[in-house]
Each structure stands twice: as structure tokens, then as C-alpha cells.
Amino acid sequence: MDLPEILAEQREFLESTLRPSVEISFELRSTKPWESKLGGCPYLADAASVGEKSIAMLPSKEITATTGYVKGGCSPIGRKKHFTTVIDASAQDLTSLTVSAGKLGLQITLAPQDLAKICEAKFAQLTI
């Protein structure tokens, strides 16, 4: 660790507080609604891969009118109206994931396979 001379006597303490980290850098650019805002990977798979004619992200201004939920509380669990739910295939490798429980600020953690069973979801590769 490179330290200024003035901190040299604190080296041992500072090194004991080091934790692994990941550095993420961002680039400001225009993206389409189906493109990830982090990393540039598209969110959406080919519609045919999940047995649909087309798929799209629901514009946030239409969330409440379409689903009955407020933005931030949209849950695949206990929906008032059935929508095809697709979970990225990479989630199958996780022991658990956390999703909205249907109320703003309330989450539930469960196995991806349990989530898929509860909400009749499909697994598909959503990112390229």
C-alpha cells in the first residue's frame, strides 16, 4: 500500500482494515430502455426464447396503471394480474435471491427455483 510519509506510522492499522473490493467505472451515454444502465448489457432476451411474440420493459410511468403496484413495489409474487415472468438463467446458480414482496419497502429472500415455481416464471438468458 502506498502511503504518504505522514501516515507511515499508521500503516499496520490501515492495512488491517483493508477489505476486498471491486472498482466500477461509469460512462455517461445515451441508452435505450432495454439496455442496462450498468455495463451496457441488454436486459431483454429474444422473445421466442421464452415462448412470447414480443417482450419489453414496462415504462415506469405505466407501472401502477398496468400492474396495480407502485414503482418500487412491483412483485412477481401475488400479482393482481398475470404477466409472464422471466428470471435470468444465471440466477439458477444462486442459493437465494431477494425480490419485492409486493409492498414498497418489503422484500422476500428465497431460492430462485422456489420463486419460479410460485410465480410460474421461466428461466432464460436475459443478458448477452
Side-chain angles (χ1 to χ4, degrees):
M1 171 181 357
D2 292 330
L3 288 175
E5 195 173 310
I6 195 167
L7 297 175
E9 62 185 56
Q10 301 297 323
R11 175 177 296 282
E12 187 175 326
F13 170 75
L14 293 171
E15 287 179 345
S16 73
T17 64
L18 290 177
R19 300 291 179 262
S21 63
V22 174
E23 183 176 322
I24 299 175
S25 60
F26 295 91
E27 172 186 331
L28 183 61
R29 66 182 180 88
S30 182
T31 57
K32 304 269 190 271
W34 57 85
E35 293 179 318
S36 169
K37 306 305 186 236
L38 177 63
C41 295
Y43 288 139
L44 304 177
D46 174 46
S49 71
V50 292
E52 298 292 330
K53 291 181 183 177
S54 66
I55 56 176
M57 296 287 287
L58 184 63
S60 61
K61 65 183 178 188
E62 296 175 23
I63 289 173
T64 303
T66 304
T67 68
Y69 291 110
V70 295
K71 182 179 176 186
C74 291
S75 175
I77 300 169
R79 297 166 291 188
K80 298 168 185 164
K81 182 177 177 183
H82 181 76
F83 293 96
T84 300
T85 301
V86 182
I87 303 170
D88 190 77
S90 65
Q92 294 176 92
D93 298 332
L94 302 174
T95 55
S96 65
L97 51 82
T98 303
V99 298
S100 172
K103 183 177 178 184
L104 192 58
L106 186 62
Q107 290 81 35
I108 184 170
T109 301
L110 67 171
Q113 294 75 12
D114 292 338
L115 175 63
K117 187 175 181 179
I118 290 168
C119 63
E120 301 173 11
K122 302 172 185 180
F123 287 100
Q125 183 176 341
L126 295 178
T127 57
I128 298 170

